[in-house]
Coordinates of all heavy atoms in Angstrom, one line a residue:
M1 N 117.7 139.2 40.3 CA 118.5 139.7 41.4 C 118.1 141.1 41.7 O 118.1 142.0 40.8 CB 120.0 139.6 41.0 CG 120.9 140.0 42.1 SD 122.6 140.0 41.6 CE 122.9 138.3 41.1
D2 N 117.7 141.4 42.9 CA 117.3 142.7 43.2 C 118.5 143.6 43.6 O 119.6 143.1 43.6 CB 116.2 142.8 44.4 CG 116.8 142.2 45.7 OD1 118.0 142.2 45.9 OD2 116.0 141.8 46.5
D3 N 118.3 144.9 43.9 CA 119.4 145.8 44.1 C 120.2 145.4 45.3 O 121.5 145.5 45.3 CB 118.9 147.2 44.3 CG 118.4 147.8 43.0 OD1 118.6 147.2 41.9 OD2 117.8 148.9 43.0
I4 N 119.6 144.9 46.3 CA 120.3 144.5 47.6 C 121.2 143.3 47.3 O 122.4 143.3 47.6 CB 119.3 144.3 48.7 CG1 118.7 145.6 49.1 CG2 120.1 143.7 49.9 CD1 117.6 145.4 50.2
E5 N 120.6 142.3 46.6 CA 121.4 141.1 46.2 C 122.6 141.5 45.3 O 123.7 141.0 45.5 CB 120.5 140.1 45.5 CG 119.5 139.4 46.5 CD 118.5 138.5 45.7 OE1 118.2 138.9 44.6 OE2 118.1 137.5 46.3
Y6 N 122.3 142.4 44.4 CA 123.4 142.8 43.5 C 124.5 143.5 44.2 O 125.7 143.3 44.0 CB 122.8 143.7 42.4 CG 123.8 144.1 41.3 CD1 124.4 143.1 40.5 CD2 124.2 145.4 41.2 CE1 125.3 143.5 39.6 CE2 125.2 145.8 40.3 CZ 125.7 144.8 39.4 OH 126.7 145.2 38.5
S7 N 124.1 144.4 45.1 CA 125.1 145.1 45.9 C 125.9 144.1 46.8 O 127.2 144.2 46.8 CB 124.3 146.1 46.9 OG 125.2 146.7 47.7
K8 N 125.3 143.1 47.3 CA 126.0 142.1 48.1 C 127.0 141.3 47.2 O 128.1 141.0 47.6 CB 125.1 141.1 48.8 CG 124.4 141.7 50.0 CD 123.5 140.7 50.7 CE 122.8 141.3 51.9 NZ 121.7 140.4 52.4
K9 N 126.5 141.0 46.0 CA 127.4 140.3 45.0 C 128.6 141.1 44.7 O 129.7 140.6 44.6 CB 126.6 139.9 43.8 CG 127.4 139.2 42.7 CD 126.6 138.9 41.5 CE 127.4 138.1 40.5 NZ 128.8 138.5 40.2
Q10 N 128.4 142.4 44.5 CA 129.5 143.3 44.1 C 130.5 143.3 45.3 O 131.7 143.3 45.0 CB 129.0 144.7 43.8 CG 128.4 144.9 42.5 CD 128.1 146.3 42.2 OE1 127.5 146.9 42.9 NE2 128.6 146.8 41.0
E11 N 130.0 143.4 46.5 CA 130.9 143.4 47.7 C 131.7 142.1 47.7 O 132.9 142.1 48.0 CB 130.1 143.6 49.0 CG 129.7 145.0 49.2 CD 128.9 145.1 50.5 OE1 129.1 144.3 51.4 OE2 128.1 146.1 50.5
K12 N 131.0 141.0 47.5 CA 131.7 139.7 47.6 C 132.7 139.6 46.5 O 133.9 139.1 46.7 CB 130.6 138.6 47.4 CG 131.2 137.2 47.4 CD 130.0 136.2 47.4 CE 130.5 134.8 46.9 NZ 130.8 134.8 45.5
D13 N 132.4 140.0 45.3 CA 133.4 139.9 44.1 C 134.6 140.8 44.4 O 135.7 140.4 44.1 CB 132.7 140.3 42.8 CG 131.7 139.3 42.3 OD1 131.7 138.2 42.9 OD2 130.9 139.6 41.4
E14 N 134.3 142.0 45.0 CA 135.5 142.9 45.3 C 136.4 142.2 46.3 O 137.6 142.3 46.2 CB 135.0 144.2 45.7 CG 136.1 145.2 46.0 CD 135.7 146.6 46.3 OE1 134.5 146.8 46.4 OE2 136.5 147.4 46.6
A15 N 135.8 141.7 47.4 CA 136.6 141.0 48.4 C 137.4 139.9 47.8 O 138.6 139.7 48.2 CB 135.7 140.5 49.5
A16 N 136.8 139.1 47.0 CA 137.5 138.0 46.4 C 138.7 138.5 45.5 O 139.8 137.9 45.5 CB 136.6 137.1 45.5
F17 N 138.4 139.6 44.8 CA 139.4 140.1 43.9 C 140.6 140.7 44.7 O 141.7 140.4 44.5 CB 138.8 141.3 43.1 CG 139.7 142.0 42.2 CD1 140.2 141.4 41.0 CD2 140.2 143.2 42.5 CE1 141.1 142.0 40.2 CE2 141.1 143.9 41.7 CZ 141.5 143.3 40.5
E18 N 140.3 141.4 45.8 CA 141.3 142.0 46.6 C 142.1 140.9 47.3 O 143.3 141.0 47.6 CB 140.7 142.9 47.7 CG 140.0 144.1 47.1 CD 141.0 145.1 46.5 OE1 142.2 145.1 46.9 OE2 140.6 145.9 45.6
A19 N 141.5 139.8 47.6 CA 142.1 138.7 48.3 C 143.2 138.0 47.4 O 144.1 137.3 48.0 CB 141.1 137.6 48.8
L20 N 143.2 138.2 46.1 CA 144.2 137.7 45.2 C 145.6 138.3 45.5 O 146.6 137.6 45.3 CB 143.8 137.9 43.8 CG 142.6 137.2 43.2 CD1 142.3 137.7 41.8 CD2 142.9 135.7 43.2
C21 N 145.6 139.5 46.0 CA 146.9 140.1 46.3 C 147.6 139.5 47.5 O 147.0 139.3 48.5 CB 146.6 141.6 46.5 SG 148.2 142.5 46.9
K22 N 148.9 139.2 47.3 CA 149.6 138.6 48.4 C 150.3 139.6 49.3 O 151.2 139.2 50.1 CB 150.6 137.6 47.8 CG 149.9 136.5 47.1 CD 150.8 135.5 46.4 CE 150.0 134.4 45.8 NZ 150.9 133.4 45.1
R23 N 150.1 140.9 49.0 CA 150.6 142.0 49.8 C 152.1 142.0 49.9 O 152.8 142.2 50.9 CB 150.1 141.9 51.3 CG 148.6 141.7 51.4 CD 147.8 142.8 50.9 NE 146.4 142.5 50.9 CZ 145.5 143.2 50.2 NH1 145.8 144.2 49.5 NH2 144.2 142.8 50.2
C24 N 152.7 141.6 48.8 CA 154.2 141.5 48.7 C 154.9 142.9 48.5 O 156.1 143.0 48.8 CB 154.7 140.5 47.7 SG 154.4 141.2 46.0
G25 N 154.1 143.8 48.0 CA 154.7 145.2 47.8 C 155.5 145.3 46.5 O 156.0 146.4 46.3
A26 N 155.7 144.3 45.8 CA 156.7 144.4 44.6 C 156.2 145.3 43.6 O 157.0 146.0 43.0 CB 156.8 143.0 44.0
C27 N 154.9 145.4 43.4 CA 154.4 146.3 42.3 C 154.4 147.8 42.8 O 154.1 148.7 42.0 CB 153.0 145.9 41.9 SG 151.8 146.0 43.2
C28 N 154.8 148.0 44.0 CA 154.9 149.4 44.5 C 156.3 149.8 44.8 O 156.6 150.7 45.6 CB 154.0 149.5 45.8 SG 152.3 149.0 45.5
G29 N 157.3 149.1 44.2 CA 158.7 149.5 44.3 C 159.4 149.0 45.5 O 160.5 149.5 45.9
R30 N 158.9 148.0 46.2 CA 159.5 147.5 47.4 C 161.0 147.3 47.3 O 161.7 147.6 48.2 CB 158.8 146.1 47.8 CG 159.3 145.5 49.1 CD 159.0 144.0 49.1 NE 159.7 143.3 48.0 CZ 159.4 142.1 47.5 NH1 158.3 141.5 48.0 NH2 160.0 141.6 46.5
D31 N 161.4 146.7 46.2 CA 162.8 146.3 46.1 C 163.7 147.4 45.4 O 164.9 147.2 45.3 CB 163.0 145.0 45.3 CG 162.3 143.9 46.0 OD1 162.3 143.9 47.2 OD2 161.8 143.0 45.3
D32 N 163.1 148.4 45.0 CA 163.9 149.5 44.2 C 163.7 150.8 45.0 O 164.5 151.1 45.9 CB 163.4 149.6 42.8 CG 163.5 148.3 42.1 OD1 164.6 147.6 42.2 OD2 162.5 147.8 41.4
E33 N 162.8 151.6 44.5 CA 162.6 152.9 45.2 C 161.1 152.9 45.5 O 160.2 153.3 44.7 CB 162.9 154.0 44.2 CG 162.9 155.4 44.9 CD 163.4 156.4 43.9 OE1 164.1 156.1 43.0 OE2 163.0 157.6 44.2
P34 N 160.7 152.6 46.7 CA 159.3 152.4 47.1 C 158.5 153.7 47.0 O 159.0 154.8 47.2 CB 159.3 152.0 48.5 CG 160.7 151.5 48.8 CD 161.6 152.3 47.8
C35 N 157.2 153.5 46.6 CA 156.3 154.6 46.7 C 156.2 155.1 48.1 O 156.2 154.3 49.1 CB 154.9 154.1 46.2 SG 153.6 155.3 46.4
S36 N 156.0 156.4 48.3 CA 155.9 156.9 49.7 C 154.6 156.5 50.4 O 154.5 156.6 51.6 CB 155.9 158.4 49.6 OG 154.9 159.0 48.8
N37 N 153.7 155.9 49.6 CA 152.4 155.4 50.3 C 152.6 153.9 50.7 O 151.7 153.4 51.3 CB 151.3 155.5 49.3 CG 150.8 156.9 49.2 OD1 150.7 157.7 50.1 ND2 150.5 157.3 47.9
L38 N 153.7 153.3 50.4 CA 153.8 151.9 50.7 C 154.2 151.7 52.2 O 155.2 152.3 52.6 CB 154.9 151.2 49.8 CG 155.0 149.7 49.9 CD1 153.8 149.0 49.5 CD2 156.2 149.2 49.1
A39 N 153.5 150.9 52.8 CA 153.7 150.6 54.3 C 153.6 149.1 54.5 O 153.0 148.4 53.7 CB 152.8 151.4 55.1
A40 N 154.1 148.6 55.6 CA 154.0 147.2 56.0 C 153.4 147.1 57.4 O 153.8 147.9 58.3 CB 155.3 146.5 55.9
D41 N 152.6 146.1 57.6 CA 152.1 145.9 59.0 C 153.0 145.0 59.8 O 154.1 144.6 59.2 CB 150.6 145.3 58.9 CG 150.6 143.9 58.3 OD1 151.6 143.2 58.3 OD2 149.5 143.5 57.9
S42 N 152.7 144.7 61.0 CA 153.6 144.0 61.9 C 153.8 142.6 61.4 O 154.8 141.9 61.8 CB 153.0 143.9 63.3 OG 151.8 143.4 63.3
G43 N 153.0 142.1 60.5 CA 153.2 140.7 60.0 C 154.0 140.7 58.7 O 154.1 139.7 58.0
G44 N 154.5 141.9 58.3 CA 155.3 141.9 57.0 C 154.4 142.0 55.8 O 154.9 141.8 54.7
N45 N 153.1 142.3 55.9 CA 152.3 142.4 54.8 C 152.2 143.9 54.3 O 151.9 144.7 55.2 CB 150.9 141.9 55.1 CG 150.8 140.4 55.4 OD1 151.3 139.6 54.6 ND2 150.3 140.1 56.6
Y46 N 152.5 144.1 53.1 CA 152.5 145.5 52.6 C 151.1 146.0 52.3 O 150.2 145.2 51.9 CB 153.4 145.6 51.3 CG 154.8 145.5 51.7 CD1 155.5 144.2 51.8 CD2 155.6 146.6 51.9 CE1 156.8 144.1 52.1 CE2 157.0 146.5 52.2 CZ 157.5 145.3 52.3 OH 158.9 145.2 52.6
Y47 N 150.9 147.3 52.4 CA 149.6 147.9 52.0 C 149.9 149.3 51.6 O 150.9 149.9 51.8 CB 148.6 147.8 53.2 CG 149.0 148.6 54.4 CD1 148.6 149.9 54.5 CD2 149.9 148.1 55.3 CE1 148.9 150.7 55.7 CE2 150.2 148.8 56.4 CZ 149.8 150.1 56.6 OH 150.2 150.8 57.7
C48 N 148.9 149.8 50.9 CA 148.9 151.2 50.4 C 148.2 152.1 51.4 O 147.0 151.9 51.7 CB 148.3 151.3 49.0 SG 148.2 153.0 48.4
K49 N 148.9 153.2 51.8 CA 148.3 154.1 52.8 C 147.2 155.0 52.1 O 146.5 155.7 52.8 CB 149.3 155.0 53.4 CG 150.3 154.2 54.3 CD 151.2 155.1 55.1 CE 152.3 155.7 54.1 NZ 153.3 156.4 54.8
A50 N 147.2 155.0 50.8 CA 146.2 155.9 50.1 C 145.4 155.1 49.0 O 145.2 155.5 47.9 CB 147.0 157.0 49.4
Y51 N 145.1 153.9 49.4 CA 144.6 152.9 48.4 C 143.4 153.5 47.6 O 143.3 153.3 46.4 CB 144.2 151.6 49.1 CG 143.9 150.5 48.1 CD1 144.9 149.9 47.4 CD2 142.6 150.1 47.9 CE1 144.7 148.9 46.5 CE2 142.3 149.0 47.0 CZ 143.3 148.5 46.3 OH 143.1 147.5 45.4
D52 N 142.4 154.1 48.3 CA 141.2 154.6 47.6 C 141.5 155.7 46.6 O 140.7 156.0 45.8 CB 140.2 155.0 48.6 CG 139.6 153.8 49.3 OD1 139.7 152.7 48.8 OD2 139.0 154.0 50.4
A53 N 142.7 156.4 46.8 CA 143.0 157.5 45.9 C 144.3 157.3 45.3 O 145.1 158.2 44.9 CB 143.1 158.8 46.8
R54 N 144.7 156.0 45.0 CA 146.0 155.7 44.6 C 146.3 156.0 43.1 O 147.4 156.3 42.7 CB 146.3 154.2 44.8 CG 145.5 153.2 44.0 CD 145.5 151.8 44.5 NE 144.8 150.9 43.7 CZ 143.5 150.7 43.6 NH1 142.8 151.5 44.4 NH2 142.9 149.8 42.9
I55 N 145.3 155.8 42.3 CA 145.5 156.0 40.8 C 145.8 157.4 40.5 O 145.0 158.3 40.8 CB 144.3 155.5 40.0 CG1 143.9 154.0 40.4 CG2 144.5 155.6 38.5 CD1 145.0 153.0 40.1
G56 N 146.9 157.6 39.8 CA 147.3 159.0 39.4 C 148.7 159.3 39.9 O 149.5 158.4 40.3
P57 N 149.1 160.6 39.9 CA 150.4 161.0 40.3 C 150.7 160.7 41.7 O 149.9 160.9 42.6 CB 150.4 162.5 40.1 CG 149.2 162.8 39.2 CD 148.2 161.8 39.5
Q58 N 151.9 160.1 41.9 CA 152.4 159.7 43.3 C 153.9 160.0 43.3 O 154.5 160.3 42.3 CB 152.1 158.2 43.6 CG 150.6 157.8 43.6 CD 149.8 158.4 44.7 OE1 150.4 159.0 45.6 NE2 148.5 158.3 44.7
T59 N 154.4 159.9 44.5 CA 155.9 160.2 44.7 C 156.6 159.1 45.4 O 156.0 158.5 46.4 CB 156.0 161.5 45.5 OG1 155.2 162.5 45.0 CG2 157.4 162.0 45.6
T60 N 157.8 158.8 45.0 CA 158.6 157.8 45.7 C 159.2 158.4 47.0 O 159.1 159.6 47.2 CB 159.7 157.2 44.8 OG1 160.7 158.3 44.7 CG2 159.2 156.8 43.5
I61 N 159.8 157.5 47.8 CA 160.4 158.0 49.0 C 161.6 159.0 48.7 O 162.0 159.8 49.6 CB 160.9 156.9 49.9 CG1 161.9 156.0 49.2 CG2 159.8 156.1 50.5 CD1 162.7 155.0 50.0
N62 N 162.1 159.0 47.5 CA 163.2 159.9 47.1 C 162.7 161.1 46.3 O 163.4 161.9 45.8 CB 164.2 159.2 46.3 CG 165.0 158.2 47.1 OD1 165.2 158.4 48.3 ND2 165.4 157.1 46.5
G63 N 161.3 161.2 46.3 CA 160.8 162.4 45.7 C 160.5 162.4 44.2 O 160.2 163.4 43.6
C64 N 160.7 161.2 43.6 CA 160.5 161.1 42.1 C 159.0 160.9 41.9 O 158.3 160.1 42.5 CB 161.2 159.8 41.5 SG 163.0 160.1 41.6
V65 N 158.4 161.7 41.0 CA 157.0 161.6 40.6 C 156.8 160.5 39.6 O 157.5 160.4 38.6 CB 156.5 162.9 40.1 CG1 155.0 162.8 39.7 CG2 156.7 164.0 41.2
F66 N 155.8 159.7 39.8 CA 155.4 158.7 38.9 C 153.9 158.6 38.9 O 153.2 159.2 39.7 CB 156.0 157.3 39.2 CG 155.5 156.7 40.4 CD1 154.5 155.7 40.3 CD2 155.9 157.1 41.7 CE1 154.0 155.1 41.5 CE2 155.3 156.6 42.8 CZ 154.4 155.5 42.7
T67 N 153.3 157.7 38.0 CA 151.9 157.6 37.9 C 151.5 156.2 38.4 O 152.0 155.2 37.9 CB 151.4 157.8 36.5 OG1 151.7 159.1 36.1 CG2 149.8 157.6 36.5
C68 N 150.7 156.1 39.5 CA 150.2 154.8 39.9 C 149.1 154.4 39.0 O 148.2 155.2 38.7 CB 149.7 154.9 41.4 SG 149.0 153.4 42.0
V69 N 149.2 153.1 38.5 CA 148.1 152.6 37.6 C 147.6 151.3 38.2 O 148.1 150.8 39.2 CB 148.7 152.3 36.2 CG1 149.2 153.6 35.6 CG2 149.8 151.3 36.3
S70 N 146.5 150.8 37.6 CA 145.9 149.6 38.1 C 146.9 148.4 37.9 O 147.7 148.5 37.0 CB 144.6 149.3 37.4 OG 144.8 149.0 36.1
I71 N 146.7 147.4 38.6 CA 147.5 146.2 38.4 C 147.3 145.6 37.0 O 148.3 145.1 36.4 CB 147.3 145.1 39.5 CG1 148.3 144.0 39.5 CG2 145.9 144.6 39.5 CD1 149.7 144.4 39.8
R72 N 146.2 145.8 36.5 CA 145.9 145.3 35.1 C 146.9 146.0 34.1 O 147.4 145.4 33.2 CB 144.5 145.7 34.7 CG 144.0 145.1 33.4 CD 142.5 145.3 33.2 NE 142.1 144.6 32.1 CZ 142.0 145.2 30.8 NH1 142.4 146.4 30.7 NH2 141.6 144.5 29.8
E73 N 147.1 147.3 34.3 CA 148.0 148.0 33.4 C 149.4 147.6 33.7 O 150.2 147.4 32.7 CB 147.9 149.5 33.7 CG 146.6 150.1 33.2 CD 146.4 149.9 31.7 OE1 147.3 150.2 31.0 OE2 145.2 149.5 31.4
V74 N 149.8 147.3 34.9 CA 151.2 146.9 35.3 C 151.4 145.5 34.5 O 152.5 145.4 33.9 CB 151.3 146.7 36.8 CG1 152.7 146.0 37.1 CG2 151.2 148.0 37.5
L75 N 150.5 144.6 34.6 CA 150.7 143.3 34.0 C 150.7 143.3 32.5 O 151.2 142.3 31.9 CB 149.6 142.4 34.5 CG 149.7 142.0 36.0 CD1 148.4 141.3 36.5 CD2 150.9 141.1 36.3
K76 N 150.3 144.3 31.9 CA 150.5 144.4 30.4 C 151.9 144.5 30.0 O 152.3 144.1 28.9 CB 149.8 145.7 29.9 CG 148.3 145.6 29.8 CD 147.7 146.9 29.2 CE 146.2 146.8 29.2 NZ 145.6 148.1 28.8
Y77 N 152.8 145.0 30.9 CA 154.2 145.3 30.6 C 155.2 144.5 31.4 O 156.3 144.3 31.0 CB 154.5 146.8 30.7 CG 153.5 147.6 29.8 CD1 152.5 148.3 30.4 CD2 153.7 147.6 28.4 CE1 151.6 149.0 29.6 CE2 152.8 148.3 27.6 CZ 151.8 149.0 28.2 OH 150.9 149.7 27.4
S78 N 154.8 144.1 32.6 CA 155.8 143.4 33.4 C 155.0 142.5 34.5 O 153.9 142.7 34.8 CB 156.7 144.4 34.2 OG 155.9 145.1 35.1
L79 N 155.8 141.6 35.0 CA 155.3 140.8 36.1 C 156.0 141.2 37.4 O 157.2 141.0 37.5 CB 155.6 139.3 35.9 CG 155.2 138.3 36.9 CD1 153.7 138.4 37.1 CD2 155.6 136.9 36.5
P80 N 155.4 141.9 38.3 CA 156.0 142.5 39.4 C 156.8 141.5 40.3 O 157.9 141.8 40.8 CB 154.9 143.2 40.2 CG 153.7 143.3 39.3 CD 153.9 142.2 38.3
C81 N 156.2 140.3 40.5 CA 156.9 139.3 41.2 C 156.3 137.9 40.7 O 155.2 137.9 40.2 CB 156.6 139.4 42.7 SG 154.9 138.9 43.2
P82 N 157.1 136.9 40.8 CA 156.7 135.6 40.2 C 155.4 135.1 40.7 O 154.6 134.5 40.0 CB 157.8 134.7 40.5 CG 159.0 135.5 40.8 CD 158.5 136.8 41.3
G83 N 155.1 135.4 42.0 CA 153.9 134.9 42.6 C 152.7 135.8 42.7 O 151.8 135.6 43.4
C84 N 152.8 136.9 41.9 CA 151.7 137.9 41.9 C 150.3 137.2 41.8 O 150.1 136.5 40.8 CB 151.9 139.0 40.9 SG 150.5 140.1 40.8
G85 N 149.4 137.4 42.7 CA 148.2 136.8 42.7 C 147.3 137.1 41.5 O 146.3 136.4 41.2
Y86 N 147.6 138.2 40.8 CA 146.7 138.6 39.7 C 147.3 138.1 38.4 O 146.6 138.2 37.4 CB 146.7 140.2 39.6 CG 145.9 140.7 40.8 CD1 146.6 141.5 41.8 CD2 144.6 140.5 41.0 CE1 145.9 142.0 42.9 CE2 143.9 141.1 42.0 CZ 144.6 141.8 43.0 OH 143.9 142.3 44.1
A87 N 148.5 137.7 38.3 CA 149.1 137.3 37.1 C 148.4 136.1 36.4 O 148.1 136.1 35.2 CB 150.6 136.9 37.3
L88 N 148.0 135.1 37.2 CA 147.3 134.0 36.6 C 145.9 134.4 36.0 O 145.5 134.0 35.0 CB 147.0 132.9 37.7 CG 146.5 131.6 37.2 CD1 147.4 131.0 36.2 CD2 146.3 130.6 38.4
E89 N 145.2 135.3 36.8 CA 143.9 135.8 36.3 C 144.2 136.6 35.0 O 143.4 136.4 34.0 CB 143.4 136.8 37.3 CG 142.9 136.1 38.6 CD 141.7 135.2 38.4 OE1 140.7 135.7 37.9 OE2 141.8 134.1 38.7
Y90 N 145.2 137.3 34.9 CA 145.5 138.1 33.7 C 145.8 137.2 32.5 O 145.3 137.3 31.4 CB 146.6 139.1 34.0 CG 146.9 140.0 32.8 CD1 146.1 141.1 32.6 CD2 147.9 139.8 31.9 CE1 146.3 142.0 31.5 CE2 148.1 140.6 30.8 CZ 147.3 141.7 30.7 OH 147.6 142.5 29.6
D91 N 146.7 136.3 32.8 CA 147.2 135.3 31.7 C 146.0 134.5 31.2 O 146.0 134.1 30.1 CB 148.3 134.4 32.3 CG 149.6 135.2 32.4 OD1 149.7 136.3 31.9 OD2 150.5 134.7 33.1
S92 N 145.1 134.2 32.1 CA 144.0 133.3 31.7 C 143.0 134.1 30.8 O 142.1 133.5 30.2 CB 143.2 132.8 32.9 OG 142.5 133.8 33.5
G93 N 143.1 135.4 30.8 CA 142.2 136.2 30.0 C 140.9 136.6 30.7 O 140.1 137.3 30.2
R94 N 140.9 136.2 32.0 CA 139.8 136.6 32.8 C 140.0 138.1 33.1 O 141.1 138.5 33.4 CB 139.6 135.8 34.1 CG 139.1 134.4 33.9 CD 138.8 133.8 35.2 NE 140.0 133.4 36.0 CZ 140.6 132.2 35.8 NH1 140.1 131.3 35.1 NH2 141.6 131.9 36.5
C95 N 138.9 138.8 33.1 CA 139.0 140.3 33.4 C 139.4 140.6 34.8 O 138.9 140.0 35.7 CB 137.7 140.9 33.1 SG 137.8 142.7 33.2
I96 N 140.4 141.4 35.0 CA 140.8 141.8 36.4 C 140.8 143.3 36.4 O 140.8 144.0 35.4 CB 142.2 141.3 36.8 CG1 143.3 141.9 35.9 CG2 142.2 139.8 36.9 CD1 144.6 141.6 36.5
Ligands
SF4_1 S1 150.0 154.7 45.5 FE1 150.1 153.1 44.0 S2 152.3 152.6 43.9 FE2 152.0 153.8 45.8 S3 151.7 152.3 47.4 FE3 149.7 152.8 46.7 S4 149.2 151.3 45.1 FE4 151.4 151.2 45.5
SF4_2 S1 152.9 142.3 43.0 FE1 150.9 141.4 42.9 S2 150.7 140.2 44.8 FE2 152.4 141.6 45.1 S3 151.5 143.4 46.0 FE3 151.5 143.8 43.8 S4 149.4 143.1 43.2 FE4 149.8 142.2 45.2

């Protein structure tokens, strides 16, 4: 596999990984105290307004500081919602 093919494979794998998310917003505090970066589109799908810079200190809509971590870290301790698209991957032992 040359560099171009590898790059395409990485893009494809990332797209497939991102597609697992159901955009429910549960892992970003949708039902409690949402992160100030959490937003929803007109179809009711949630997204992060700062996705590329999300990991690290963040603030809720009420001004509480917390640390945004990867979904892998979240799943070590809790299941954000019953249908989280990453939970099955995590439980199966496949790396996410
Ligand atoms: S910064 Fe983290 S917790 Fe906040 S909306 Fe983005 S992904 Fe969710
Ligand atoms: S709980 Fe899971 S499915 Fe819902 S937004 Fe978070 S990562 Fe995506």
Side-chain angles (χ1 to χ4, degrees):
M1 185 183 299
D2 64 23
D3 287 350
I4 293 174
E5 286 173 330
Y6 184 67
S7 179
K8 283 182 181 170
K9 181 182 182 314
Q10 280 188 308
E11 280 178 28
K12 178 174 160 286
D13 288 350
E14 182 176 358
F17 178 76
E18 294 293 335
L20 292 172
C21 179
K22 297 179 178 175
R23 314 293 172 198
C24 72
C27 60
C28 303
R30 178 202 65 197
D31 296 329
D32 301 313
E33 187 175 338
C35 174
S36 56
N37 287 319
L38 186 63
D41 65 20
S42 58
N45 296 306
Y46 287 85
Y47 64 94
C48 174
K49 293 186 286 186
Y51 192 71
D52 289 341
R54 68 194 184 283
I55 304 298
Q58 298 292 350
T59 309
T60 69
I61 57 169
N62 291 327
C64 292
V65 176
F66 71 99
T67 302
C68 177
V69 297
S70 69
I71 190 64
R72 185 171 189 273
E73 292 301 313
V74 173
L75 289 169
K76 282 182 184 174
Y77 304 104
S78 66
L79 178 62
C81 74
C84 175
Y86 294 110
L88 187 60
E89 293 292 304
Y90 186 79
D91 289 346
S92 72
R94 286 191 288 270
C95 184
I96 62 170

